[in-house]
Short mmCIF file of all heavy atoms in Angstrom, two decimals:
data_model
loop_
_atom_site.label_atom_id
_atom_site.label_comp_id
_atom_site.label_asym_id
_atom_site.label_seq_id
_atom_site.Cartn_x
_atom_site.Cartn_y
_atom_site.Cartn_z
N LEU M 670 -9.03 -12.16 1.68
CA LEU M 670 -9.01 -11.31 2.79
C LEU M 670 -9.99 -10.16 2.80
O LEU M 670 -10.21 -9.49 3.82
CB LEU M 670 -7.57 -10.73 3.00
CG LEU M 670 -6.36 -11.58 3.28
CD1 LEU M 670 -5.16 -10.87 3.17
CD2 LEU M 670 -6.51 -12.24 4.58
N GLY M 671 -10.58 -9.97 1.62
CA GLY M 671 -11.52 -8.98 1.51
C GLY M 671 -11.24 -7.70 0.75
O GLY M 671 -11.93 -6.77 0.72
N TYR M 672 -9.97 -7.72 0.12
CA TYR M 672 -9.62 -6.67 -0.63
C TYR M 672 -10.19 -6.61 -2.10
O TYR M 672 -10.32 -7.54 -2.58
CB TYR M 672 -8.01 -6.60 -0.66
CG TYR M 672 -7.29 -6.34 0.50
CD1 TYR M 672 -6.83 -7.37 1.30
CD2 TYR M 672 -7.14 -5.00 1.08
CE1 TYR M 672 -6.16 -7.12 2.45
CE2 TYR M 672 -6.57 -4.82 2.24
CZ TYR M 672 -5.97 -5.84 2.94
OH TYR M 672 -5.54 -5.60 4.17
N ALA M 673 -10.46 -5.38 -2.64
CA ALA M 673 -10.92 -5.30 -3.96
C ALA M 673 -9.79 -5.73 -4.85
O ALA M 673 -8.66 -5.39 -4.68
CB ALA M 673 -11.34 -3.84 -4.24
N THR M 674 -10.05 -6.41 -5.87
CA THR M 674 -9.09 -6.84 -6.89
C THR M 674 -9.45 -6.43 -8.35
O THR M 674 -8.89 -7.00 -9.29
CB THR M 674 -8.91 -8.39 -6.87
OG1 THR M 674 -10.13 -9.14 -7.00
CG2 THR M 674 -8.40 -8.79 -5.40
N ASP M 675 -10.40 -5.58 -8.52
CA ASP M 675 -10.68 -5.03 -9.95
C ASP M 675 -9.64 -4.17 -10.37
O ASP M 675 -9.52 -3.94 -11.64
CB ASP M 675 -11.99 -4.25 -9.80
CG ASP M 675 -12.03 -3.21 -8.85
OD1 ASP M 675 -11.35 -3.26 -7.70
OD2 ASP M 675 -12.78 -2.12 -9.11
N GLU M 676 -8.61 -3.72 -9.55
CA GLU M 676 -7.42 -3.06 -9.85
C GLU M 676 -6.35 -3.68 -8.91
O GLU M 676 -6.64 -4.23 -7.89
CB GLU M 676 -7.50 -1.64 -9.79
CG GLU M 676 -7.80 -1.02 -8.39
CD GLU M 676 -7.75 0.49 -8.27
OE1 GLU M 676 -7.02 1.06 -9.02
OE2 GLU M 676 -8.34 1.04 -7.35
N ARG M 677 -5.10 -3.45 -9.17
CA ARG M 677 -4.01 -4.07 -8.40
C ARG M 677 -3.64 -3.30 -7.23
O ARG M 677 -2.94 -3.74 -6.38
CB ARG M 677 -2.78 -4.18 -9.29
CG ARG M 677 -1.89 -3.02 -9.72
CD ARG M 677 -0.73 -3.53 -10.60
NE ARG M 677 0.15 -2.39 -10.76
CZ ARG M 677 1.35 -2.18 -10.10
NH1 ARG M 677 1.71 -2.94 -9.09
NH2 ARG M 677 2.14 -1.24 -10.42
N TRP M 678 -4.00 -1.99 -7.06
CA TRP M 678 -3.52 -1.14 -6.16
C TRP M 678 -4.00 -1.56 -4.66
O TRP M 678 -3.08 -1.50 -3.86
CB TRP M 678 -3.84 0.31 -6.39
CG TRP M 678 -3.26 0.76 -7.58
CD1 TRP M 678 -3.70 1.24 -8.73
CD2 TRP M 678 -1.78 0.91 -7.90
NE1 TRP M 678 -2.91 1.56 -9.61
CE2 TRP M 678 -1.61 1.46 -9.14
CE3 TRP M 678 -0.62 0.70 -7.16
CZ2 TRP M 678 -0.35 1.72 -9.73
CZ3 TRP M 678 0.62 0.86 -7.66
CH2 TRP M 678 0.89 1.40 -8.88
N PRO M 679 -5.10 -1.89 -4.34
CA PRO M 679 -5.50 -2.23 -2.97
C PRO M 679 -4.57 -3.34 -2.45
O PRO M 679 -4.04 -3.26 -1.27
CB PRO M 679 -6.94 -2.61 -2.97
CG PRO M 679 -7.44 -1.89 -4.25
CD PRO M 679 -6.37 -1.87 -5.23
N SER M 680 -4.35 -4.39 -3.29
CA SER M 680 -3.52 -5.52 -2.83
C SER M 680 -2.01 -5.15 -2.72
O SER M 680 -1.31 -5.48 -1.86
CB SER M 680 -3.74 -6.80 -3.63
OG SER M 680 -3.31 -6.49 -4.94
N TYR M 681 -1.67 -4.19 -3.71
CA TYR M 681 -0.26 -3.77 -3.79
C TYR M 681 0.20 -3.10 -2.39
O TYR M 681 1.08 -3.37 -1.73
CB TYR M 681 -0.09 -2.91 -4.95
CG TYR M 681 1.19 -2.01 -4.94
CD1 TYR M 681 2.31 -2.62 -5.42
CD2 TYR M 681 1.24 -0.74 -4.38
CE1 TYR M 681 3.51 -2.00 -5.43
CE2 TYR M 681 2.37 -0.08 -4.37
CZ TYR M 681 3.61 -0.67 -4.99
OH TYR M 681 4.70 0.09 -4.93
N PHE M 682 -0.71 -2.15 -2.02
CA PHE M 682 -0.45 -1.31 -0.77
C PHE M 682 -0.46 -2.18 0.34
O PHE M 682 0.44 -2.10 1.32
CB PHE M 682 -1.42 -0.21 -0.61
CG PHE M 682 -1.19 1.07 -1.59
CD1 PHE M 682 -1.83 1.22 -2.71
CD2 PHE M 682 -0.08 1.89 -1.15
CE1 PHE M 682 -1.67 2.35 -3.54
CE2 PHE M 682 0.10 3.02 -1.99
CZ PHE M 682 -0.55 3.19 -3.18
N ALA M 683 -1.45 -3.08 0.39
CA ALA M 683 -1.59 -3.96 1.66
C ALA M 683 -0.27 -4.95 1.71
O ALA M 683 0.33 -5.06 2.76
CB ALA M 683 -2.78 -4.79 1.53
N TYR M 684 -0.05 -5.62 0.66
CA TYR M 684 1.15 -6.50 0.63
C TYR M 684 2.45 -5.82 0.91
O TYR M 684 3.22 -6.41 1.67
CB TYR M 684 1.29 -7.31 -0.75
CG TYR M 684 0.20 -8.29 -1.02
CD1 TYR M 684 -0.33 -8.53 -2.23
CD2 TYR M 684 -0.07 -9.27 0.08
CE1 TYR M 684 -1.20 -9.60 -2.49
CE2 TYR M 684 -0.85 -10.26 -0.19
CZ TYR M 684 -1.59 -10.52 -1.39
OH TYR M 684 -2.47 -11.56 -1.61
N ARG M 685 2.65 -4.71 0.23
CA ARG M 685 3.95 -3.91 0.46
C ARG M 685 4.20 -3.20 1.82
O ARG M 685 5.22 -3.23 2.29
CB ARG M 685 4.21 -2.96 -0.76
CG ARG M 685 5.65 -2.56 -0.84
CD ARG M 685 5.82 -1.72 -2.00
NE ARG M 685 7.17 -1.07 -1.91
CZ ARG M 685 7.61 0.15 -2.49
NH1 ARG M 685 6.72 0.83 -3.20
NH2 ARG M 685 8.82 0.51 -2.37
N ALA M 686 3.08 -2.84 2.36
CA ALA M 686 3.16 -2.06 3.58
C ALA M 686 3.03 -2.90 4.87
O ALA M 686 3.40 -2.54 5.93
CB ALA M 686 2.10 -0.98 3.60
N ALA M 687 2.61 -4.17 4.58
CA ALA M 687 2.32 -4.91 5.83
C ALA M 687 3.49 -5.26 6.65
O ALA M 687 3.26 -5.22 7.94
CB ALA M 687 1.78 -6.35 5.24
N PRO M 688 4.73 -5.34 6.16
CA PRO M 688 5.81 -5.56 7.17
C PRO M 688 6.10 -4.35 8.09
O PRO M 688 6.63 -4.47 9.26
CB PRO M 688 7.09 -5.70 6.18
CG PRO M 688 6.50 -6.17 4.97
CD PRO M 688 5.27 -5.50 4.82
N LEU M 689 5.51 -3.10 7.80
CA LEU M 689 5.61 -1.96 8.60
C LEU M 689 4.67 -1.97 9.76
O LEU M 689 4.76 -1.07 10.69
CB LEU M 689 5.28 -0.79 7.77
CG LEU M 689 6.37 -0.45 6.56
CD1 LEU M 689 5.76 0.61 5.69
CD2 LEU M 689 7.72 -0.02 7.14
N GLY M 690 3.66 -2.91 9.77
CA GLY M 690 2.59 -2.83 10.72
C GLY M 690 1.46 -2.04 10.38
O GLY M 690 1.36 -1.47 9.07
N PRO M 691 0.60 -1.68 11.16
CA PRO M 691 -0.61 -0.92 10.79
C PRO M 691 -0.52 0.45 10.68
O PRO M 691 -1.03 1.37 11.29
CB PRO M 691 -1.73 -1.18 11.88
CG PRO M 691 -0.74 -1.40 13.09
CD PRO M 691 0.48 -1.97 12.57
N VAL M 692 0.39 0.93 9.52
CA VAL M 692 0.71 2.27 9.47
C VAL M 692 -0.44 2.97 8.54
O VAL M 692 -1.16 2.35 7.92
CB VAL M 692 2.08 2.37 8.76
CG1 VAL M 692 3.13 1.88 9.49
CG2 VAL M 692 1.98 1.58 7.36
N GLY M 693 -0.47 4.38 8.67
CA GLY M 693 -1.44 5.09 7.93
C GLY M 693 -0.86 5.64 6.70
O GLY M 693 0.22 5.50 6.30
N PRO M 694 -1.75 6.30 5.99
CA PRO M 694 -1.47 6.82 4.60
C PRO M 694 -0.36 7.78 4.63
O PRO M 694 0.57 7.84 3.57
CB PRO M 694 -2.73 7.58 4.06
CG PRO M 694 -3.79 6.86 4.93
CD PRO M 694 -3.35 6.56 6.26
N ARG M 695 -0.16 8.61 5.65
CA ARG M 695 0.92 9.55 5.61
C ARG M 695 2.33 8.98 5.48
O ARG M 695 3.17 9.39 4.80
CB ARG M 695 0.82 10.45 6.81
CG ARG M 695 1.77 11.74 6.69
CD ARG M 695 1.35 12.85 7.69
NE ARG M 695 2.15 14.12 7.59
CZ ARG M 695 2.02 15.20 8.15
NH1 ARG M 695 0.95 15.29 8.98
NH2 ARG M 695 2.75 16.33 7.89
N LEU M 696 2.47 8.01 6.39
CA LEU M 696 3.78 7.26 6.37
C LEU M 696 4.04 6.53 5.14
O LEU M 696 5.05 6.43 4.56
CB LEU M 696 3.93 6.31 7.60
CG LEU M 696 5.19 5.51 7.79
CD1 LEU M 696 6.41 6.44 7.65
CD2 LEU M 696 5.20 4.72 9.00
N VAL M 697 2.95 5.77 4.63
CA VAL M 697 3.11 5.03 3.38
C VAL M 697 3.47 5.89 2.25
O VAL M 697 4.24 5.64 1.43
CB VAL M 697 1.68 4.31 3.12
CG1 VAL M 697 1.75 3.64 1.75
CG2 VAL M 697 1.52 3.08 4.23
N ASN M 698 2.75 7.11 2.20
CA ASN M 698 3.13 8.07 1.18
C ASN M 698 4.52 8.52 1.15
O ASN M 698 5.10 8.60 0.17
CB ASN M 698 2.04 9.20 1.32
CG ASN M 698 2.18 10.19 0.13
OD1 ASN M 698 1.86 9.80 -1.01
ND2 ASN M 698 2.60 11.43 0.40
N ALA M 699 4.98 8.77 2.33
CA ALA M 699 6.40 9.21 2.48
C ALA M 699 7.43 8.10 2.08
O ALA M 699 8.28 8.38 1.28
CB ALA M 699 6.65 9.52 3.89
N LEU M 700 7.09 6.84 2.38
CA LEU M 700 8.03 5.71 1.95
C LEU M 700 7.93 5.37 0.58
O LEU M 700 8.89 5.06 -0.08
CB LEU M 700 7.71 4.64 2.94
CG LEU M 700 8.00 4.92 4.42
CD1 LEU M 700 7.83 3.72 5.31
CD2 LEU M 700 9.49 5.47 4.72
N PHE M 701 6.69 5.24 -0.01
CA PHE M 701 6.53 4.87 -1.42
C PHE M 701 6.78 5.83 -2.43
O PHE M 701 7.14 5.67 -3.54
CB PHE M 701 5.10 4.33 -1.56
CG PHE M 701 4.67 3.01 -0.93
CD1 PHE M 701 5.47 2.56 0.12
CD2 PHE M 701 3.66 2.31 -1.33
CE1 PHE M 701 5.20 1.34 0.73
CE2 PHE M 701 3.37 1.06 -0.75
CZ PHE M 701 4.03 0.63 0.40
N TYR M 702 6.83 7.15 -1.82
CA TYR M 702 7.35 8.40 -2.48
C TYR M 702 6.58 8.71 -3.95
O TYR M 702 6.14 9.93 -3.93
CB TYR M 702 8.77 8.26 -2.81
CG TYR M 702 9.47 9.43 -3.06
CD1 TYR M 702 9.74 10.29 -1.94
CD2 TYR M 702 10.08 9.91 -4.17
CE1 TYR M 702 10.36 11.55 -1.99
CE2 TYR M 702 10.68 11.08 -4.34
CZ TYR M 702 10.87 11.94 -3.31
OH TYR M 702 11.50 13.12 -3.47
N SER M 703 6.55 7.92 -4.85
CA SER M 703 6.19 8.55 -6.22
C SER M 703 4.72 8.28 -6.44
O SER M 703 4.19 8.57 -7.68
CB SER M 703 6.95 7.99 -7.31
OG SER M 703 6.75 6.52 -7.41
#
């Protein structure tokens, strides 16, 4: 898809947040919390 995979985080955020739709960092930050 074009995501960087030298670390796990880019795909982690995309895969986990995708059900929410095209949400921005502020909402993701609130929901993922830690």
Side-chain angles (χ1 to χ4, degrees):
L670 290 176
Y672 292 100
T674 56
D675 53 332
E676 60 171 337
R677 76 182 184 96
W678 295 115
S680 59
Y681 168 87
F682 281 101
Y684 282 141
R685 192 175 174 209
L689 297 164
V692 295
R695 188 164 186 173
L696 180 56
V697 171
N698 187 63
L700 299 181
F701 288 18
Y702 201 68
S703 66

